[in-house]
Amino acid sequence: MSARAGQVARAFSPASVGNAAVGFDILGHAIAGVGDTVSVRRIEAPEVRISAIRGTTFALPLAAPDNTAGAALIALRDALALPFGFEVEIDKGIALGSGMGGSAASCVAALVAANALLDTPLPRAALYPFALTGEAVASGGRHGDNLGPMLLGGLVLSTADRLVPIPVPAAWHSLLVHPDAVLETRRARAALQGDYVLGEFVQQSAHLALVLCGCFNADAALVRAGLRDVLVEPRRASLIAGFAGARDAALAAGAMGASISGAGPSVFAWFEQREQALAAQAAVQGAFAEVGLPSQAWVSPLNAPGAQLL
């Protein structure tokens, strides 16, 4: 047996807000206080095994190629031609179908833990291609809006081949509210089929530019002008009971903007101060309660930390 066989590493990956309203599949930010934890053991056998998945009543695949964490580690092994393998245990802390990046969190936590067991660990950003492979198992596409912020923390622009951290003022906070409902990612993506008007793309591009400029310049007025989804939200809103009321409650409480988190049904809002986000929480949760949905909520800095070794 090799000197390192049998060693175990554990990592936590936070949840995230994908799309961030105006950056479909490319912009997202981490959420403090909720996430997935993955334990990885280095084994002699040159394979990846998923030995346990806890924290969910829904049966997730134990076959490694069909599991986001397993597929990510297989990609890592293949790319580095590793002579050893990994055994994985997953503890889910993010509800499935919540729009909080649950599938992405499992593969990011697995990669961060496995990376610590390599003879020469890779830089954090170098794990991104393997995370894209893992995420594609669940979502059907290689998009990094959840993966980037989980790997690096904060607000991140995630393209096909690079991660770009976006600076935000330390005072800016998000409110994330998850109603007790499930919206499967593939169903939410199916709602986006059909024709679009060119002017909608122009307007959405302008909104994304305003938000990015606002973040780089710590200019909340620019963010307020841009943090509004005219492309995707209108096609998904009807899938989420209570969404309009929740969004409007956040805006009435002073949010810079509010929209669907990821594929939904969770709703997020950005605020200039933590106190504003905390004050808005009851009204946003109340909007879901009005349609019979209890909910959970988290208030988090926009520059929340990414995945961490435990």
Side-chain angles (χ1 to χ4, degrees):
M1 179 176 288
S2 70
R4 300 198 66 181
Q7 288 192 336
V8 178
R10 293 175 66 238
F12 171 85
S13 174
S16 64
V17 167
N19 301 331
V22 291
F24 183 72
D25 278 359
I26 60 171
L27 188 66
H29 62 87
I31 293 292
V34 58
D36 286 0
T37 302
V38 176
S39 298
V40 177
R41 181 185 305 275
R42 180 164 157 169
I43 59 176
E44 288 271 289
E47 62 184 6
V48 176
R49 307 170 186 158
I50 310 291
S51 60
I53 302 175
R54 296 176 288 266
T56 176
T57 56
F58 183 84
L60 293 174
L62 284 169
D66 301 325
N67 182 287
T68 61
L73 294 189
I74 290 171
L76 175 71
R77 279 201 68 256
D78 290 348
L80 301 183
L82 298 177
F84 54 87
F86 303 106
E87 184 174 9
V88 181
E89 296 186 16
I90 302 170
D91 289 285
K92 296 294 296 178
I94 303 173
L96 300 175
S98 63
M100 295 167 56
S103 59
S106 292
C107 75
V108 167
L111 283 167
V112 170
N115 190 49
L117 299 175
L118 300 181
D119 295 331
T120 305
L122 300 173
R124 182 64 66 89
L127 301 177
Y128 181 48
F130 314 124
L132 285 170
T133 298
E135 170 72 342
V137 170
S139 67
R142 293 174 66 85
H143 51 85
D145 52 327
N146 293 116
L147 301 169
M150 291 176 180
L151 284 166
L152 302 185
L155 179 67
V156 179
L157 178 67
S158 306
T159 69
D161 57 2
R162 68 184 62 203
L163 300 176
V164 183
I166 307 299
V168 293
W172 289 6
H173 276 65
S174 67
L175 168 65
L176 179 65
V177 177
H178 170 230
D180 187 11
V182 174
L183 180 52
E184 207 270 330
T185 300
R186 291 176 189 260
R187 179 182 171 221
R189 293 185 85 83
L192 304 182
Q193 300 298 316
D195 297 327
Y196 291 81
V197 178
L198 180 60
E200 294 174 339
F201 283 99
V202 174
Q203 189 176 7
Q204 190 84 337
S205 296
H207 286 177
L208 174 59
L210 285 167
V211 168
L212 293 178
C213 288
C215 290
F216 273 97
N217 291 285
D219 188 333
L222 289 179
V223 173
R224 286 182 184 277
L227 194 58
R228 184 165 57 88
D229 179 4
V230 299
L231 204 60
V232 174
E233 179 187 303
R235 299 189 177 220
R236 285 180 167 171
S238 64
L239 301 177
I240 303 170
F243 166 71
R247 177 200 59 206
D248 292 348
L251 294 174
M256 290 184 279
S259 190
I260 301 167
S261 175
S266 296
V267 172
F268 81 96
W270 287 9
F271 293 86
E272 293 177 62
Q273 300 289 336
R274 179 174 182 268
E275 292 74 19
Q276 292 176 299
L278 289 169
Q281 179 177 323
V284 177
Q285 289 191 274
F288 284 119
E290 287 182 8
V291 296
L293 292 175
S295 61
Q296 292 177 281
W298 298 268
V299 170
S300 169
L302 277 183
N303 58 2
Q308 304 289 328
L309 280 171
L310 301 176

